Amino acid sequence: MSILIKNGKVVGVGEIADADVYIEGESIVAIGQNLSYKADKVIDAKGMLVMPGGIDPHVHLDMPFMGTYSSDDYTSGTSAALHGGTTMVIDFILQTQGKSLYHALGEWQGRSNNKALCDYSFHMAVTDFNDNTKKEIADMVNKEGITSFKTFMAYKGALMIDDRQMVGLMNEVKKQGGMVTVHATNGDMIDFLVAKHRSEGKLSPLYHYLSQPEITESEASGRFADMAYHTGVPAYIVHMTCEGALNQVRDAEKRNQRVFAETCIQYLIIDASLYEKDFDGAKWVMSPPLREKKDQAALWAGINQGSVQVVATDHCPFKWEQKLMGKDDFSKIPNGHPAIEHRMELLFSEGVNKGKISLNKYVEVTSTNAAKIFGMYPKKGCIAPGADADIIIFDPNEEHTLSVKSHHMNVDYSAYEGWKVKGKTKTVIMRGEVAVDKNELLIKPGYGKFVKRNKVNGII
Ligand code: URP
Ligand code: ZN
Ligand code: ZN
């Protein structure tokens, strides 16, 4: 199968060019003006942007969490991703404390094999670092192509590791050529505040927010950066929400350290006022919680200054029935919200179309930087000869409205119901196949493949 995309505006990190793109099999073969290849299929992309497929490096599909499972499995979650213009996701494997990393890998392979529509990879969350786990790190990197190791500084008793384990893990991961990523919030402080609010009978979703003040995130981000500085490991903070945490990254830069930072679309465009809506606020109960307008301003600035390199989703959907598990107690509301389908269009609409970021920056933070940081570039994350043909054809002007009635995520509400968006994914090419065209899914579960990633060194 060969495809020729004609007359589009091809966008990369450093350039925007009127050009054609020729694809053969799974790869891009040529980019140039007036290409004259004879192709099986010709797509006229006049007036459209032609961009690298999105890479969302922070999703939770079919994940056991807080007594239930996130409601999108590998098929529904990756279908929704593709409809929105994301062609690759990185999901999180959670080690069960007391069990091995390989045990967890087997569980996630069981839930993902032959089910995905877009390509995917795994981060390995190390929740129990000990002598046995230490021995498995080399195999994860060298045999499995899993080169990033997630840590939690919160969720004590289930996922959290202490600083001694963190430093031990960092030393081993550095030795093996990997990266340590972190959910950076102070778990003990949060547990104290949760217990205090519950004992005072303060049980609504608002108290989820009030139990995780900004300082819990900035303190942990700074502590993580310090441990990474000490060990020299490549380091990445996931789902950064606030000015205080960003300032810790900026401080690290002053001592010539690089700590990569990821924010998520929700932290840029919605804020903590949503928790004032009684139990409806449960739709946005996530950790860390939504913040203030001043934090949004800091994060947009961080993106433009290059201190925030990635905009992800932390997609972790739960149906309303699952959210109701916490109707009498905020601490039992499953944490997470659905966004995998909307990241590309929302960031375009709120960021590019409203003049907050450039088109080139958009491609960087939605695709190219994640590919570079996580050891997949230039196979993924760019439109270049030899790269996988993961491409979106995007109408920058089409207006539409987000709704549970039209989304493809397996959730019975939308966290963005009624949101007016300017910019729409029209066609998605996934490793050389037209995967979505005009809202229609054209590939089958199993087309999406596991991507083994290369070693990383913290330089992009
Ligand atoms: O609320 C969230 N973020 N749920 C998913 C787990 C995590 O902490 O990323
Ligand atoms: Zn997290
Ligand atoms: Zn997450």
Side-chain angles (χ1 to χ4, degrees):
M1 173 81 173
S2 56
I3 303 176
L4 182 60
I5 306 170
K6 287 198 74 70
N7 308 320
K9 229 175 232 325
V10 180
V11 189
V13 168
E15 70 281 335
I16 303 174
D18 291 321
D20 303 340
V21 181
Y22 178 63
I23 298 163
E24 234 174 54
E26 297 195 346
S27 310
I28 296 167
V29 170
I31 303 156
Q33 281 172 352
N34 304 316
L35 293 184
S36 58
Y37 290 90
K38 278 218 160 335
D40 299 323
K41 184 176 177 66
V42 178
I43 300 175
D44 184 4
K46 195 166 171 39
M48 301 284 144
L49 301 173
V50 178
M51 301 190 282
I55 299 174
D56 187 343
H58 192 151
V59 305
H60 302 277
L61 301 176
D62 210 355
M63 179 179 82
F65 191 54
M66 295 185 73
T68 184
Y69 279 76
S70 56
S71 61
D72 264 322
D73 68 6
Y74 264 76
T75 301
S76 65
T78 56
S79 163
L82 281 171
H83 277 93
T86 289
T87 53
M88 172 154 187
V89 297
I90 314 184
D91 190 18
F92 289 84
I93 298 177
L94 304 182
Q95 177 193 16
T96 302
Q97 292 180 342
K99 296 198 172 153
S100 67
L101 300 183
Y102 265 102
H103 179 268
L105 175 58
E107 283 185 358
W108 259 258
Q109 285 169 333
R111 285 198 286 272
S112 58
N113 278 350
N114 299 318
K115 282 191 142 184
L117 288 146
C118 73
D119 283 353
Y120 64 100
S121 183
F122 296 136
H123 304 284
M124 176 60 74
V126 178
T127 64
D128 189 1
F129 185 70
N130 54 44
D131 288 345
N132 294 331
T133 320
K134 185 174 172 186
K135 291 193 197 111
E136 296 184 281
I137 301 287
D139 281 350
M140 287 298 148
V141 172
N142 298 310
K143 290 196 187 145
E144 310 301 339
I146 297 175
T147 54
S148 48
F149 296 86
K150 167 80 178 292
T151 59
F152 290 90
M153 296 170 85
Y155 303 121
K156 201 171 192 168
L159 304 173
M160 178 170 154
I161 58 170
D162 62 23
D163 292 352
R164 180 179 173 162
Q165 290 178 299
M166 180 72 88
V167 172
L169 174 68
M170 284 177 164
N171 282 327
E172 186 59 21
V173 170
K174 178 177 165 57
K175 190 166 140 200
Q176 301 304 338
M179 162 170 300
V180 173
T181 78
V182 69
H183 171 125
T185 60
N186 184 318
D188 284 320
M189 268 179 91
I190 293 168
D191 288 349
F192 171 83
L193 290 168
V194 169
K196 177 176 178 293
H197 288 134
R198 290 178 76 211
S199 73
E200 292 167 355
K202 295 172 173 165
L203 298 168
S204 72
L206 176 66
Y207 290 93
H208 169 79
Y209 166 61
L210 295 174
S211 298
Q212 300 202 33
E214 179 175 11
I215 195 75
T216 59
E217 188 177 336
S218 44
E219 184 280 330
S221 301
R223 184 156 38 99
F224 173 78
D226 285 346
M227 290 186 279
Y229 185 62
H230 170 72
T231 57
V233 75
Y236 179 101
I237 299 176
V238 308
H239 56 38
M240 180 177 283
T241 70
C242 59
E243 187 177 23
L246 177 60
N247 283 340
Q248 297 289 346
V249 167
R250 289 168 167 156
D251 281 350
E253 286 166 1
K254 287 188 210 152
R255 65 185 172 198
N256 307 321
Q257 185 188 5
R258 184 101 207 235
V259 179
F260 295 120
E262 161 202 289
T263 189
C264 299
I265 185 65
Q266 60 271 27
Y267 300 122
L268 292 166
I269 64 172
I270 50 181
D271 65 62
S273 59
L274 290 168
Y275 298 123
E276 280 153 22
K277 297 178 157 201
D278 291 327
F279 194 70
D280 208 42
K283 287 178 189 161
W284 302 279
V285 163
M286 62 186 83
S287 291
L290 300 172
R291 302 281 186 205
E292 308 291 326
K293 293 264 188 269
K294 62 107 184 150
D295 298 299
Q296 295 179 351
L299 293 171
W300 285 112
I303 290 172
N304 280 318
Q305 291 159 350
S307 297
V308 175
Q309 294 83 17
V310 173
V311 178
T313 58
D314 192 10
H315 175 73
C316 191
F318 296 100
K319 291 188 173 178
W320 192 241
E321 186 190 17
Q322 295 173 291
K323 289 282 184 182
L324 284 172
M325 289 163 67
K327 74 178 172 8
D328 300 319
D329 178 353
F330 71 86
S331 71
K332 297 196 169 55
I333 301 170
N335 286 198
H337 100 308
I340 199 168
E341 186 164 350
H342 300 321
R343 175 185 69 128
M344 299 292 284
E345 292 174 348
L346 278 172
L347 187 67
F348 190 88
S349 188
E350 297 296 317
V352 180
N353 266 338
K354 292 195 176 165
K356 290 199 172 79
I357 57 171
S358 71
L359 196 47
N360 297 115
K361 183 58 90 174
Y362 174 80
V363 165
E364 239 183 276
V365 298
T366 56
S367 181
T368 311
N369 281 350
K372 288 181 175 173
I373 290 170
F374 291 112
M376 301 180 285
Y377 187 83
K379 193 173 160 58
K380 299 286 188 193
C382 60
I383 298 183
D388 280 358
D390 299 342
I391 294 176
I392 59 173
I393 300 174
F394 194 91
D395 184 339
N397 296 313
E398 185 170 325
E399 295 182 14
H400 58 115
T401 303
L402 304 184
S403 172
V404 63
K405 293 191 198 107
S406 49
H407 77 203
H408 299 82
M409 300 175 285
N410 184 31
V411 205
D412 48 1
Y413 57 88
S414 172
Y416 301 93
E417 188 64 44
W419 197 293
K420 294 202 182 340
V421 173
K422 186 171 173 193
K424 180 138 183 56
T425 303
K426 302 298 288 182
T427 305
V428 180
I429 298 171
M430 169 77 243
R431 266 189 293 101
E433 290 285 331
V434 179
V436 173
D437 192 36
K438 299 183 199 75
N439 290 323
E440 196 187 343
L441 183 67
L442 300 169
I443 55 171
K444 297 258 173 314
Y447 184 77
K449 292 280 174 289
F450 179 75
V451 176
K452 284 191 173 187
R453 292 183 284 119
N454 298 324
K455 292 189 183 197
V456 295
N457 61 7
I459 294 170
I460 59 169

